[in-house]
Every structure is written in C-alpha cells, then in structure tokens.
Amino acid sequence: MKIDRVILLISLQIIVLTGLFITDIQNQYAGILKWILYTALFFISITLFILRFRYLTQLKRMNIEIRRAVDDENVKTRILTNQDRELNEFIFSINELVEQLEKIKVQSIKSEKARKGILSGISHDIRTPLTSIIGYVDALKDDVAASEAEKKAYIDIISRKANGLKHLLDELFQMAKIDADEITFKEEELDFAEITRECFIEFLPDLKTESIELKTVIPEEKCIIYADRLSLKRIIGNLIKNALHYGREGKILGAELTETAHEYQLLIWDRGPGIAEDDVMHVFERMYRGEQSRNQLYGGSGLGLSIAKALVEKHHGKIWVESIPWERTVFGFSIPKQPLQLELRNN
C-alpha cells in the first residue's frame, strides 16, 4: 500500500511539534536539538506548501482541459498524468469518462444520420403509394375509367397499395415497440418444426401465384424450444417475405431446420439475384435496401430484416446472411434450446 506524501509530512510535523514541546519542558535538551527540530519543521512546511501549490495547479489545468472538452465538444481531449500518484487514478477515471463521452457522441452522430435516412425513406414509401391512391380515386370519381374492367383494375391497384401502406405502418409500429422495449414476451414451450410449417403454409398462395417451387427439410420429430410464439412467427414470416421479394426470379425457395448441441437453426434460402458484396454487411440496418428494391416490382419496407434481427437477439439467438448470386442466398437464425431464464443463469 502506497503511503500518501502529505499524510507522511503531516505526521512528521506532529512528531517535530511533539519534540519541540518536550524540549520546552525539559530545558536541558534545549539548544542545538531545538534548532534541528525548527529547521525540520520549516522544510516540512515548505514541502507541504509546494505540494499544495502543485496540486492546485494540476487541478486548474485539469479543469481547463475538461472545460475545453465540454465547451468546444472536443471529446478527443485527454488529460496527461504526472508524478503525483495521488491524482493519477482520478485522471485515469476522467479520461475514461471522456472516452465514453466520445463513443456516445459518435453513436449519436450515427443515430442522427440513421434517423434522417429512415425519415427520408419513410416519407418516400408513404408519399409515393398515397399519391398513386389519390390519383386512382380521383380517376374513379371523374369516371375516367370507361369500362367495368378498368374500374376493377383501378380498385385492385388501390387495394394493393393501401395494404402495402398498412403493412409499412404495422412494421413501423412494431419497430417503435421494440425500441421502447414494450414487446411482451410470453415464453412457452414450442415445436420449432411445427411453427415453421405453419408459417410456410400461410405463404403457399403467394408461392403458387409466383410459380415458385418450395423445398423444405424439416424434421418430423418435435424440435422443442422456449420462445414467444408471435415473435417467432414474425421472424420466420419476415424472412420468407424477404425471400419472395428478392429471390422470386430464381423460382425456388427452400428451408432447412437443423439442430446443434445447444440450439436449433433455421435456414431460408433462394436462388435469386442475391445480395451484392457491399450490401451484405448492411442488410439488417433499418430502411436499408439494395438497388433492385427501388424497382416497384420488389417493394419492401426495409424494416422486416431489422425487426427479425431485433427479435432474434431478444431470444438470445443469432442471425446472419450468406449470398452467392443466382446460386444460393441464405438467411439463417438460431434459437437456444434452453429457456431464456436458464440461459441467463448458465451464462
């Protein structure tokens, strides 16, 4: 344990003062011993004064550096340590605090950029179909459609675009609930294989409409996991929708449910145009979509994969993507076999 110099010097002062007091009582010891003690007391006092001055100077310099970091938002500022061991730990703590502030600032800049991008994307995705809906409604009001077939076509377009808007708003609402941590998880024992089959059955009409062949490798025996049913179905549903949107040209969609020692993994794949190498690292970002998604044929809100990722992580699982264009594009995710509470205790 290091001895504080100030405490040591104050202790010496007390010892010297005690010696002077004893010397005054016992006159026979006056003289040279008394002068030695006075000299020691003088040098101790000077040393204490110097240490105090250096301490105040250091504090002032630290205050200036901290103030500069606050006023100028220069979060790269770091305070240098010196020979005063007493202050070094304090300086280290301040530097750690400034470092955390720098990370928060960087994250804030990224979040602000992402927010602007999301708002821009949302405004585009809402304004474009809404403008189209208004245009077709006005056309129907003005009897622009000459035949019943044209009117039916207009109504079908309005219905499709309105449903698309509803889907977008539902996903925005879901994302907002996830961000606010308002998703209520009802963890229960589920058969992963059965849930997967249920999800694909719901999409059979879409697969038939697009003439897409379905290939699945799902075990007949039960694959027991502990998860929230609605969240799990949303994860699988979002991945299937994504495969339908971007992989339809490959005319085949597949699913494989596999088991490892501690988890189950579901792979959903297609043989479509795939994902560009530059896009792979961004596919789970909110409102991020590859260039082909700008084609109205593909649609997509850009939120489905983000929602899937957030829900998978809430189940303590992982999600990933691998893509070889026109050969195999795979979105996979894992769900632990153990209940979340037991998983937390084991970790």
Side-chain angles (χ1 to χ4, degrees):
M1 182 177 178
K2 296 178 180 178
I3 300 175
D4 187 272
R5 284 183 294 178
V6 173
I7 294 177
L8 178 60
L9 290 171
I10 292 174
S11 300
L12 289 175
Q13 269 190 330
I14 293 172
I15 293 172
V16 171
L17 289 172
T18 303
L20 287 172
F21 178 73
I22 295 173
T23 303
D24 286 339
I25 294 176
Q26 300 178 7
N27 294 327
Q28 62 271 29
Y29 293 103
I32 189 167
L33 180 59
K34 195 172 183 179
W35 282 107
I36 292 174
L37 292 175
Y38 274 123
T39 303
L41 183 61
F42 173 78
F43 281 108
I44 291 173
S45 299
I46 291 295
T47 304
L48 280 172
F49 175 79
I50 293 172
L51 288 176
R52 181 63 178 174
F53 179 79
R54 288 173 58 186
Y55 177 79
L56 292 176
T57 302
Q58 178 71 358
L59 283 181
K60 184 176 181 181
R61 185 173 67 83
M62 290 168 53
N63 183 59
I64 292 173
E65 295 294 336
I66 296 172
R67 181 54 57 189
R68 182 183 303 166
V70 173
D71 293 342
D72 301 338
E73 296 186 357
N74 182 17
V75 290
K76 294 188 178 297
T77 298
R78 295 295 184 272
I79 301 173
L80 302 177
T81 58
N82 55 21
Q83 299 301 318
D84 292 330
R85 292 196 303 267
E86 297 82 359
L87 281 175
N88 283 350
E89 290 188 10
F90 182 55
I91 291 173
F92 289 144
S93 298
I94 291 178
N95 285 337
E96 288 179 2
L97 187 62
V98 174
E99 186 176 349
Q100 290 298 319
L101 182 62
E102 181 181 9
K103 291 179 181 179
I104 292 172
K105 182 179 179 182
V106 171
Q107 185 61 41
S108 176
I109 293 173
K110 289 182 179 179
S111 298
E112 180 65 16
K113 184 178 179 181
R115 185 187 66 82
K116 290 180 179 179
I118 290 173
L119 288 176
S120 176
I122 291 173
S123 62
H124 174 272
D125 289 343
I126 292 178
R127 184 173 61 250
T128 301
L130 193 57
T131 301
S132 180
I133 289 172
I134 293 172
Y136 281 107
V137 170
D138 289 341
L140 289 172
K141 287 170 58 179
D142 297 338
D143 292 326
V144 173
S147 64
E148 289 298 321
E150 287 183 348
K151 289 180 180 179
K152 184 177 183 303
Y154 284 8
I155 292 173
D156 288 342
I157 293 172
I158 292 170
S159 176
R160 187 170 65 253
K161 291 185 178 294
N163 285 329
L165 276 176
K166 180 181 180 300
H167 176 69
L168 172 62
L169 293 175
D170 287 343
E171 291 198 328
L172 287 171
F173 180 68
Q174 182 73 12
M175 199 77 249
K177 288 179 68 176
I178 291 173
D179 286 343
D181 199 22
E182 294 179 354
I183 297 292
T184 302
F185 270 52
K186 183 183 178 182
E187 189 178 296
E188 56 183 313
E189 182 179 298
L190 300 174
D191 181 358
F192 201 171
E194 184 62 27
I195 295 291
T196 301
R197 281 190 283 266
E198 289 178 7
C199 290
F200 273 96
I201 288 172
E202 293 177 7
F203 284 91
L204 287 179
D206 298 296
L207 294 170
K208 184 177 180 180
T209 300
E210 298 293 337
S211 300
I212 296 176
E213 180 185 357
L214 177 62
K215 288 188 176 183
T216 61
V217 181
I218 301 174
E220 291 297 327
E221 62 272 13
K222 290 185 176 182
C223 301
I224 300 301
I225 59 173
Y226 296 85
D228 177 70
R229 177 182 291 271
L230 293 178
S231 297
L232 184 61
K233 293 188 73 172
R234 180 175 285 273
I235 293 167
I236 300 172
N238 284 0
L239 294 183
I240 295 174
K241 289 176 187 176
N242 182 76
L244 283 172
H245 275 309
Y246 302 115
R248 66 183 72 191
E249 293 179 44
K251 295 301 178 182
I252 187 169
L253 188 148
E256 299 173 16
L257 182 58
T258 60
E259 180 182 5
T260 67
H262 304 290
E263 63 187 14
Y264 285 100
Q265 296 181 352
L266 178 61
L267 308 179
I268 297 176
W269 56 271
D270 64 75
R271 291 180 181 168
I275 305 169
E277 186 176 349
D278 293 339
D279 292 333
V280 168
M281 66 181 67
H282 301 293
V283 292
F284 294 109
E285 295 177 7
R286 299 179 187 183
M287 303 302 293
Y288 186 87
R289 291 167 293 188
E291 287 302 318
Q292 66 171 344
S293 66
R294 295 302 175 188
N295 188 322
Q296 292 300 316
L297 173 66
Y298 292 96
S301 67
L303 286 173
L305 293 179
S306 298
I307 292 173
K309 180 176 184 292
L311 293 176
V312 167
E313 289 175 349
K314 281 185 175 293
H315 282 85
H316 289 215
K318 297 179 182 178
I319 190 168
W320 63 91
V321 59
E322 299 171 355
S323 181
I324 302 176
W326 301 110
E327 289 188 22
R328 185 177 169 94
T329 296
V330 183
F331 279 86
F333 72 96
S334 63
I335 298 292
K337 294 180 180 179
Q338 296 179 336
L340 296 183
Q341 293 85 351
L342 183 58
E343 183 79 12
L344 287 173
R345 286 200 297 270
N346 291 342
N347 290 337

